[in-house]
CSV table of all heavy atoms in Angstrom, one decimal:
chain,number,residue,atom,x,y,z
U,1,VAL,N,-143.8,-62.8,-113.9
U,1,VAL,CA,-142.9,-62.5,-115.0
U,1,VAL,C,-143.8,-62.5,-116.3
U,1,VAL,O,-143.5,-61.7,-117.2
U,1,VAL,CB,-141.9,-63.6,-115.1
U,1,VAL,CG1,-140.9,-63.4,-116.3
U,1,VAL,CG2,-141.0,-63.6,-113.8
U,2,ASP,N,-144.8,-63.4,-116.4
U,2,ASP,CA,-145.6,-63.3,-117.6
U,2,ASP,C,-146.3,-62.0,-117.8
U,2,ASP,O,-146.3,-61.5,-119.0
U,2,ASP,CB,-146.7,-64.4,-117.5
U,2,ASP,CG,-146.1,-65.8,-117.7
U,2,ASP,OD1,-145.0,-65.9,-118.2
U,2,ASP,OD2,-146.8,-66.8,-117.3
U,3,ALA,N,-146.8,-61.4,-116.7
U,3,ALA,CA,-147.4,-60.1,-116.8
U,3,ALA,C,-146.5,-59.0,-117.3
U,3,ALA,O,-146.8,-58.2,-118.2
U,3,ALA,CB,-148.0,-59.7,-115.5
U,4,ILE,N,-145.3,-59.0,-116.8
U,4,ILE,CA,-144.3,-58.0,-117.2
U,4,ILE,C,-143.8,-58.2,-118.6
U,4,ILE,O,-143.7,-57.3,-119.4
U,4,ILE,CB,-143.1,-58.0,-116.2
U,4,ILE,CG1,-143.6,-57.6,-114.8
U,4,ILE,CG2,-142.0,-57.1,-116.7
U,4,ILE,CD1,-142.5,-57.8,-113.8
U,5,LEU,N,-143.6,-59.5,-119.0
U,5,LEU,CA,-143.1,-59.8,-120.3
U,5,LEU,C,-144.2,-59.4,-121.4
U,5,LEU,O,-143.8,-58.8,-122.4
U,5,LEU,CB,-142.8,-61.3,-120.5
U,5,LEU,CG,-141.5,-61.8,-119.8
U,5,LEU,CD1,-141.4,-63.3,-119.8
U,5,LEU,CD2,-140.3,-61.1,-120.3
U,6,ASN,N,-145.4,-59.7,-121.1
U,6,ASN,CA,-146.5,-59.3,-122.1
U,6,ASN,C,-146.7,-57.8,-122.1
U,6,ASN,O,-147.1,-57.3,-123.2
U,6,ASN,CB,-147.7,-60.1,-121.8
U,6,ASN,CG,-147.7,-61.5,-122.2
U,6,ASN,OD1,-147.9,-61.9,-123.3
U,6,ASN,ND2,-147.4,-62.4,-121.2
U,7,GLN,N,-146.5,-57.2,-121.0
U,7,GLN,CA,-146.6,-55.7,-121.1
U,7,GLN,C,-145.6,-55.1,-122.0
U,7,GLN,O,-145.8,-54.2,-122.8
U,7,GLN,CB,-146.5,-55.1,-119.6
U,7,GLN,CG,-146.6,-53.6,-119.6
U,7,GLN,CD,-146.1,-53.0,-118.3
U,7,GLN,OE1,-145.5,-53.7,-117.5
U,7,GLN,NE2,-146.5,-51.8,-118.0
U,8,PHE,N,-144.3,-55.6,-121.9
U,8,PHE,CA,-143.3,-55.1,-122.7
U,8,PHE,C,-143.4,-55.6,-124.1
U,8,PHE,O,-142.8,-55.0,-125.0
U,8,PHE,CB,-141.9,-55.4,-122.1
U,8,PHE,CG,-141.5,-54.5,-121.0
U,8,PHE,CD1,-141.7,-54.7,-119.7
U,8,PHE,CD2,-140.8,-53.3,-121.3
U,8,PHE,CE1,-141.4,-53.9,-118.7
U,8,PHE,CE2,-140.4,-52.4,-120.3
U,8,PHE,CZ,-140.7,-52.7,-119.0
U,9,THR,N,-144.0,-56.7,-124.3
U,9,THR,CA,-144.3,-57.2,-125.7
U,9,THR,C,-145.1,-56.2,-126.5
U,9,THR,O,-144.8,-55.8,-127.6
U,9,THR,CB,-145.0,-58.5,-125.7
U,9,THR,OG1,-144.2,-59.5,-125.0
U,9,THR,CG2,-145.3,-59.0,-127.1
U,10,GLU,N,-146.1,-55.7,-125.8
U,10,GLU,CA,-146.9,-54.6,-126.5
U,10,GLU,C,-146.2,-53.3,-126.7
U,10,GLU,O,-146.3,-52.7,-127.7
U,10,GLU,CB,-148.2,-54.4,-125.7
U,10,GLU,CG,-149.1,-55.6,-125.6
U,10,GLU,CD,-150.4,-55.3,-124.9
U,10,GLU,OE1,-150.7,-54.1,-124.6
U,10,GLU,OE2,-151.2,-56.2,-124.7
U,11,ARG,N,-145.4,-52.9,-125.7
U,11,ARG,CA,-144.6,-51.7,-125.8
U,11,ARG,C,-143.6,-51.8,-126.8
U,11,ARG,O,-143.4,-50.8,-127.6
U,11,ARG,CB,-144.0,-51.4,-124.4
U,11,ARG,CG,-145.0,-51.0,-123.3
U,11,ARG,CD,-144.4,-50.9,-121.9
U,11,ARG,NE,-143.3,-50.0,-121.9
U,11,ARG,CZ,-142.7,-49.5,-120.7
U,11,ARG,NH1,-143.3,-49.9,-119.6
U,11,ARG,NH2,-141.7,-48.7,-120.7
U,12,CYS,N,-142.9,-52.9,-126.9
U,12,CYS,CA,-141.9,-53.1,-127.9
U,12,CYS,C,-142.5,-53.2,-129.3
U,12,CYS,O,-141.9,-52.7,-130.3
U,12,CYS,CB,-141.1,-54.4,-127.7
U,12,CYS,SG,-140.0,-54.3,-126.2
U,13,SER,N,-143.7,-53.8,-129.4
U,13,SER,CA,-144.4,-53.9,-130.7
U,13,SER,C,-144.7,-52.5,-131.3
U,13,SER,O,-144.6,-52.2,-132.5
U,13,SER,CB,-145.7,-54.7,-130.6
U,13,SER,OG,-146.4,-54.7,-131.8
U,14,GLU,N,-145.1,-51.6,-130.4
U,14,GLU,CA,-145.4,-50.2,-130.8
U,14,GLU,C,-144.2,-49.5,-131.3
U,14,GLU,O,-144.2,-48.6,-132.2
U,14,GLU,CB,-146.0,-49.4,-129.6
U,14,GLU,CG,-147.4,-49.9,-129.2
U,14,GLU,CD,-147.8,-49.2,-127.9
U,14,GLU,OE1,-147.1,-48.3,-127.4
U,14,GLU,OE2,-149.0,-49.5,-127.5
U,15,LYS,N,-143.0,-49.8,-130.7
U,15,LYS,CA,-141.7,-49.2,-131.2
U,15,LYS,C,-141.0,-50.0,-132.2
U,15,LYS,O,-139.9,-49.7,-132.5
U,15,LYS,CB,-140.8,-49.0,-129.9
U,15,LYS,CG,-141.4,-48.0,-128.9
U,15,LYS,CD,-140.4,-47.8,-127.8
U,15,LYS,CE,-140.9,-46.8,-126.7
U,15,LYS,NZ,-139.9,-46.6,-125.6
U,16,LYS,N,-141.7,-51.1,-132.7
U,16,LYS,CA,-141.1,-51.9,-133.7
U,16,LYS,C,-139.8,-52.6,-133.2
U,16,LYS,O,-138.8,-52.7,-134.0
U,16,LYS,CB,-140.8,-51.2,-135.0
U,16,LYS,CG,-142.1,-50.7,-135.7
U,16,LYS,CD,-141.9,-49.9,-137.0
U,16,LYS,CE,-143.2,-49.4,-137.6
U,16,LYS,NZ,-143.0,-48.7,-138.8
U,17,ILE,N,-139.8,-53.0,-132.0
U,17,ILE,CA,-138.7,-53.7,-131.4
U,17,ILE,C,-139.0,-55.2,-131.3
U,17,ILE,O,-140.1,-55.6,-130.9
U,17,ILE,CB,-138.4,-53.2,-130.0
U,17,ILE,CG1,-138.0,-51.7,-130.0
U,17,ILE,CG2,-137.2,-54.0,-129.3
U,17,ILE,CD1,-137.9,-51.1,-128.6
U,18,ARG,N,-138.1,-56.1,-131.8
U,18,ARG,CA,-138.4,-57.5,-131.8
U,18,ARG,C,-137.9,-58.1,-130.4
U,18,ARG,O,-136.8,-58.0,-130.1
U,18,ARG,CB,-137.6,-58.2,-132.9
U,18,ARG,CG,-138.2,-57.9,-134.3
U,18,ARG,CD,-137.3,-58.3,-135.4
U,18,ARG,NE,-136.1,-57.5,-135.5
U,18,ARG,CZ,-136.0,-56.3,-136.1
U,18,ARG,NH1,-137.1,-55.8,-136.7
U,18,ARG,NH2,-134.9,-55.6,-136.1
U,19,LEU,N,-138.9,-58.6,-129.7
U,19,LEU,CA,-138.6,-59.2,-128.4
U,19,LEU,C,-138.8,-60.7,-128.4
U,19,LEU,O,-139.9,-61.2,-128.8
U,19,LEU,CB,-139.6,-58.6,-127.4
U,19,LEU,CG,-139.6,-59.2,-125.9
U,19,LEU,CD1,-138.2,-59.0,-125.3
U,19,LEU,CD2,-140.6,-58.6,-125.1
U,20,CYS,N,-137.7,-61.4,-128.1
U,20,CYS,CA,-137.7,-62.8,-128.1
U,20,CYS,C,-137.4,-63.3,-126.7
U,20,CYS,O,-136.5,-62.9,-126.1
U,20,CYS,CB,-136.6,-63.3,-129.1
U,20,CYS,SG,-136.5,-65.1,-129.2
U,21,VAL,N,-138.3,-64.2,-126.2
U,21,VAL,CA,-138.2,-64.8,-124.9
U,21,VAL,C,-138.2,-66.3,-124.9
U,21,VAL,O,-139.0,-66.9,-125.6
U,21,VAL,CB,-139.3,-64.3,-124.0
U,21,VAL,CG1,-139.2,-64.8,-122.6
U,21,VAL,CG2,-139.4,-62.8,-123.9
U,22,GLY,N,-137.2,-66.9,-124.2
U,22,GLY,CA,-137.2,-68.3,-124.1
U,22,GLY,C,-136.9,-68.8,-122.7
U,22,GLY,O,-136.3,-68.1,-121.9
U,23,GLY,N,-137.3,-70.0,-122.4
U,23,GLY,CA,-137.1,-70.6,-121.1
U,23,GLY,C,-138.3,-70.7,-120.3
U,23,GLY,O,-139.4,-70.4,-120.7
U,24,ARG,N,-138.2,-71.1,-119.1
U,24,ARG,CA,-139.3,-71.3,-118.2
U,24,ARG,C,-139.0,-70.9,-116.8
U,24,ARG,O,-137.8,-70.9,-116.4
U,24,ARG,CB,-139.8,-72.7,-118.2
U,24,ARG,CG,-138.9,-73.7,-117.5
U,24,ARG,CD,-139.4,-75.1,-117.5
U,24,ARG,NE,-138.5,-76.0,-116.7
U,24,ARG,CZ,-138.7,-76.3,-115.5
U,24,ARG,NH1,-139.7,-75.8,-114.8
U,24,ARG,NH2,-137.9,-77.1,-114.8
U,25,LEU,N,-140.0,-70.5,-116.0
U,25,LEU,CA,-139.8,-70.1,-114.6
U,25,LEU,C,-141.1,-70.4,-113.8
U,25,LEU,O,-142.1,-69.8,-114.0
U,25,LEU,CB,-139.5,-68.6,-114.5
U,25,LEU,CG,-139.1,-68.1,-113.1
U,25,LEU,CD1,-137.8,-68.7,-112.6
U,25,LEU,CD2,-139.0,-66.6,-113.1
U,26,PRO,N,-141.1,-71.5,-113.0
U,26,PRO,CA,-142.3,-71.9,-112.4
U,26,PRO,C,-142.8,-70.9,-111.4
U,26,PRO,O,-142.1,-70.0,-110.9
U,26,PRO,CB,-141.9,-73.2,-111.7
U,26,PRO,CG,-140.5,-73.1,-111.5
U,26,PRO,CD,-139.9,-72.3,-112.7
U,27,ALA,N,-144.1,-71.0,-111.1
U,27,ALA,CA,-144.7,-70.0,-110.2
U,27,ALA,C,-144.2,-70.2,-108.7
U,27,ALA,O,-144.2,-69.2,-107.9
U,27,ALA,CB,-146.2,-70.2,-110.2
U,28,ASP,N,-143.8,-71.4,-108.4
U,28,ASP,CA,-143.4,-71.6,-107.0
U,28,ASP,C,-141.8,-71.6,-106.8
U,28,ASP,O,-141.3,-72.3,-106.0
U,28,ASP,CB,-143.9,-73.0,-106.5
U,28,ASP,CG,-143.3,-74.1,-107.4
U,28,ASP,OD1,-142.8,-73.8,-108.5
U,28,ASP,OD2,-143.5,-75.3,-107.0
U,29,CYS,N,-141.2,-70.7,-107.6
U,29,CYS,CA,-139.7,-70.6,-107.5
U,29,CYS,C,-139.4,-69.9,-106.2
U,29,CYS,O,-140.2,-69.2,-105.6
U,29,CYS,CB,-139.1,-69.8,-108.7
U,29,CYS,SG,-139.6,-68.1,-108.8
U,30,PHE,N,-138.1,-69.9,-105.8
U,30,PHE,CA,-137.7,-69.4,-104.5
U,30,PHE,C,-137.6,-67.9,-104.4
U,30,PHE,O,-137.3,-67.3,-103.4
U,30,PHE,CB,-136.4,-70.0,-104.1
U,30,PHE,CG,-135.3,-69.8,-105.1
U,30,PHE,CD1,-134.5,-68.7,-105.1
U,30,PHE,CD2,-135.0,-70.8,-106.0
U,30,PHE,CE1,-133.5,-68.5,-106.0
U,30,PHE,CE2,-133.9,-70.7,-106.9
U,30,PHE,CZ,-133.2,-69.5,-106.9
U,31,VAL,N,-137.7,-67.2,-105.5
U,31,VAL,CA,-137.6,-65.7,-105.6
U,31,VAL,C,-138.9,-65.0,-105.3
U,31,VAL,O,-139.9,-65.4,-105.8
U,31,VAL,CB,-137.0,-65.2,-107.0
U,31,VAL,CG1,-136.8,-63.7,-107.0
U,31,VAL,CG2,-135.8,-66.0,-107.3
U,32,GLU,N,-138.9,-64.0,-104.4
U,32,GLU,CA,-140.1,-63.3,-104.1
U,32,GLU,C,-140.7,-62.5,-105.3
U,32,GLU,O,-139.9,-62.0,-106.1
U,32,GLU,CB,-139.8,-62.3,-102.9
U,32,GLU,CG,-139.4,-63.0,-101.6
U,32,GLU,CD,-140.6,-63.7,-101.0
U,32,GLU,OE1,-141.8,-63.3,-101.2
U,32,GLU,OE2,-140.4,-64.7,-100.3
U,33,PRO,N,-142.0,-62.4,-105.4
U,33,PRO,CA,-142.6,-61.7,-106.5
U,33,PRO,C,-142.1,-60.3,-106.7
U,33,PRO,O,-141.9,-59.8,-107.8
U,33,PRO,CB,-144.1,-61.7,-106.2
U,33,PRO,CG,-144.3,-62.9,-105.3
U,33,PRO,CD,-143.0,-63.0,-104.5
U,34,PHE,N,-141.8,-59.6,-105.5
U,34,PHE,CA,-141.3,-58.2,-105.6
U,34,PHE,C,-140.0,-58.2,-106.3
U,34,PHE,O,-139.7,-57.3,-107.1
U,34,PHE,CB,-141.3,-57.6,-104.2
U,34,PHE,CG,-140.7,-56.2,-104.3
U,34,PHE,CD1,-141.5,-55.1,-104.6
U,34,PHE,CD2,-139.3,-56.0,-104.0
U,34,PHE,CE1,-140.9,-53.8,-104.6
U,34,PHE,CE2,-138.8,-54.7,-104.0
U,34,PHE,CZ,-139.6,-53.6,-104.4
U,35,ASP,N,-139.1,-59.1,-106.0
U,35,ASP,CA,-137.8,-59.1,-106.6
U,35,ASP,C,-137.8,-59.5,-108.0
U,35,ASP,O,-137.1,-59.0,-108.9
U,35,ASP,CB,-136.8,-60.1,-105.8
U,35,ASP,CG,-136.5,-59.5,-104.4
U,35,ASP,OD1,-136.1,-58.4,-104.3
U,35,ASP,OD2,-136.7,-60.3,-103.4
U,36,LEU,N,-138.7,-60.4,-108.4
U,36,LEU,CA,-138.9,-60.8,-109.8
U,36,LEU,C,-139.4,-59.5,-110.6
U,36,LEU,O,-138.9,-59.3,-111.7
U,36,LEU,CB,-139.9,-61.9,-109.9
U,36,LEU,CG,-139.5,-63.3,-109.5
U,36,LEU,CD1,-140.7,-64.3,-109.6
U,36,LEU,CD2,-138.4,-63.8,-110.4
U,37,CYS,N,-140.3,-58.8,-110.0
U,37,CYS,CA,-140.8,-57.6,-110.6
U,37,CYS,C,-139.7,-56.6,-110.8
U,37,CYS,O,-139.5,-56.0,-111.9
U,37,CYS,CB,-142.0,-57.0,-109.8
U,37,CYS,SG,-142.7,-55.5,-110.5
U,38,THR,N,-138.9,-56.4,-109.8
U,38,THR,CA,-137.8,-55.4,-109.8
U,38,THR,C,-136.8,-55.8,-110.9
U,38,THR,O,-136.4,-54.9,-111.7
U,38,THR,CB,-137.1,-55.3,-108.4
U,38,THR,OG1,-138.0,-54.9,-107.4
U,38,THR,CG2,-135.9,-54.4,-108.5
U,39,ILE,N,-136.4,-57.0,-110.9
U,39,ILE,CA,-135.4,-57.5,-111.9
U,39,ILE,C,-135.9,-57.4,-113.3
U,39,ILE,O,-135.3,-56.7,-114.2
U,39,ILE,CB,-135.0,-58.9,-111.6
U,39,ILE,CG1,-134.2,-58.9,-110.2
U,39,ILE,CG2,-134.1,-59.5,-112.7
U,39,ILE,CD1,-133.9,-60.3,-109.7
U,40,PHE,N,-137.0,-58.0,-113.6
U,40,PHE,CA,-137.5,-58.1,-115.0
U,40,PHE,C,-138.0,-56.7,-115.5
U,40,PHE,O,-137.7,-56.3,-116.7
U,40,PHE,CB,-138.6,-59.1,-115.2
U,40,PHE,CG,-138.1,-60.5,-115.3
U,40,PHE,CD1,-137.9,-61.3,-114.2
U,40,PHE,CD2,-137.7,-61.0,-116.5
U,40,PHE,CE1,-137.4,-62.6,-114.3
U,40,PHE,CE2,-137.2,-62.3,-116.6
U,40,PHE,CZ,-137.1,-63.1,-115.5
U,41,TYR,N,-138.7,-56.0,-114.7
U,41,TYR,CA,-139.2,-54.7,-115.1
U,41,TYR,C,-138.0,-53.7,-115.5
U,41,TYR,O,-138.0,-53.1,-116.5
U,41,TYR,CB,-140.0,-54.0,-114.0
U,41,TYR,CG,-140.6,-52.7,-114.5
U,41,TYR,CD1,-141.8,-52.6,-115.2
U,41,TYR,CD2,-140.0,-51.5,-114.2
U,41,TYR,CE1,-142.4,-51.4,-115.6
U,41,TYR,CE2,-140.5,-50.3,-114.6
U,41,TYR,CZ,-141.7,-50.3,-115.3
U,41,TYR,OH,-142.2,-49.1,-115.7
U,42,ASN,N,-137.0,-53.7,-114.6
U,42,ASN,CA,-135.9,-52.7,-114.9
U,42,ASN,C,-135.0,-53.1,-116.0
U,42,ASN,O,-134.6,-52.3,-116.8
U,42,ASN,CB,-135.1,-52.6,-113.6
U,42,ASN,CG,-135.8,-51.7,-112.6
U,42,ASN,OD1,-136.0,-50.5,-112.8
U,42,ASN,ND2,-136.1,-52.2,-111.4
U,43,ILE,N,-134.7,-54.4,-116.1
U,43,ILE,CA,-133.8,-54.8,-117.3
U,43,ILE,C,-134.5,-54.7,-118.6
U,43,ILE,O,-133.9,-54.3,-119.6
U,43,ILE,CB,-133.3,-56.2,-117.1
U,43,ILE,CG1,-134.4,-57.3,-117.1
U,43,ILE,CG2,-132.5,-56.3,-115.8
U,43,ILE,CD1,-133.8,-58.7,-117.1
U,44,LEU,N,-135.9,-54.9,-118.6
U,44,LEU,CA,-136.6,-54.8,-119.9
U,44,LEU,C,-136.8,-53.3,-120.2
U,44,LEU,O,-136.8,-52.9,-121.4
U,44,LEU,CB,-137.9,-55.5,-119.8
U,44,LEU,CG,-137.9,-57.0,-119.9
U,44,LEU,CD1,-139.2,-57.7,-119.5
U,44,LEU,CD2,-137.4,-57.5,-121.2
């Protein structure tokens, strides 16, 4: 999630979009990495 969020931070900065992120999500959560990538990449 950190990788995807920081990728979109740079993309949003180029388009002058203010991106605010809060909360935490540990590395050993029960969601598979592929599903995390699918969810966060597409909604962002």
Side-chain angles (χ1 to χ4, degrees):
V1 179
D2 288 342
I4 296 172
L5 289 173
N6 283 280
Q7 179 191 18
F8 278 94
T9 297
E10 295 186 6
R11 291 172 55 165
C12 290
S13 178
E14 293 175 358
K15 296 183 178 181
K16 298 182 179 179
I17 300 173
R18 289 169 290 279
L19 174 60
C20 178
V21 180
R24 69 181 186 92
L25 186 64
D28 59 347
C29 70
F30 56 84
V31 182
E32 294 293 329
F34 176 81
D35 292 309
L36 287 174
C37 180
T38 299
I39 292 171
F40 279 93
Y41 182 86
N42 282 296
I43 64 175
L44 286 171

